[in-house]
Amino acid sequence: MNRNAIICEGAAEEAIIEILLNHSLLLIESDENLLEDGPIRVRSADEFCEKYLGRDFDGKVDVYRILDSRREQFSFKTRRKAKLYEEKLNIHNVITAPEIEILIIISEDKYQEFLKSKEKPSDFSKKN
């Protein structure tokens, strides 16, 4: 049986995934098939594998990476590690461009404040 992991780039992505999971709005549910029962905030492939793939389970892990950059890679530091884990992982990149932080800003009724700030949504979200 395949397991699932949802890796979120930042706090805004994590908050939205939590909402979607809590309301059963994703095909992936917080059950025994989801690592950590929710989003994971690890961005490095090496750190993810060291922390979560040491467990003994059958099947592959479908990794859903929620991020706003098409350029960010989920790569291993060494070719040996990549070979070791590539059989266990199916990587799915979910690109949230434009920035998903704007949804959080709107939901928290801070859109006018955001417009006045002239900041990027990610910078405004970090501060507020």
Side-chain angles (χ1 to χ4, degrees):
M1 173 191 299
N2 279 15
R3 301 291 300 260
N4 297 293
I6 301 173
I7 298 176
C8 293
E9 176 185 53
E13 290 85 359
E14 183 178 8
I16 292 196
I17 292 299
E18 287 282 356
I19 291 167
L20 295 173
L21 285 169
N22 290 339
H23 290 88
S24 300
L25 296 171
L26 294 177
L27 294 176
I28 300 169
E29 295 185 12
S30 294
D31 62 9
E32 68 276 354
N33 292 328
L34 183 61
L35 294 179
E36 293 300 298
D37 296 324
I40 297 170
R41 290 284 298 277
V42 171
R43 291 172 77 163
S44 133
D46 290 306
E47 188 178 347
F48 171 78
C49 289
E50 286 172 19
K51 194 168 186 178
Y52 298 101
L53 294 188
R55 301 173 183 174
D56 188 26
F57 50 82
D58 297 327
K60 286 191 164 196
V61 176
D62 285 304
V63 178
Y64 297 91
R65 297 177 64 228
I66 316 299
L67 61 161
D68 60 15
S69 171
R70 295 182 192 283
R71 289 174 275 186
E72 189 173 320
Q73 299 297 311
F74 194 68
S75 55
F76 296 92
K77 290 182 182 173
T78 66
R79 183 127 178 90
R80 187 173 156 259
K81 265 192 182 174
K83 215 140 180 66
L84 176 68
Y85 290 117
E86 71 184 4
E87 295 176 357
K88 289 188 165 196
L89 300 173
N90 294 321
I91 307 296
H92 310 278
N93 292 320
V94 180
I95 310 299
T96 62
E99 295 182 60
I100 203 166
E101 285 84 358
I102 197 70
L103 296 175
I104 298 294
I105 293 167
I106 292 167
S107 75
E108 293 185 0
D109 202 25
K110 294 191 179 250
Y111 187 68
Q112 292 304 318
E113 187 179 332
F114 160 72
L115 290 176
K116 290 176 189 172
S117 76
K118 297 188 178 54
E119 295 176 296
K120 290 178 21 182
S122 57
D123 293 336
F124 182 84
S125 292
K126 283 178 192 173
K127 289 179 184 175
N128 294 282

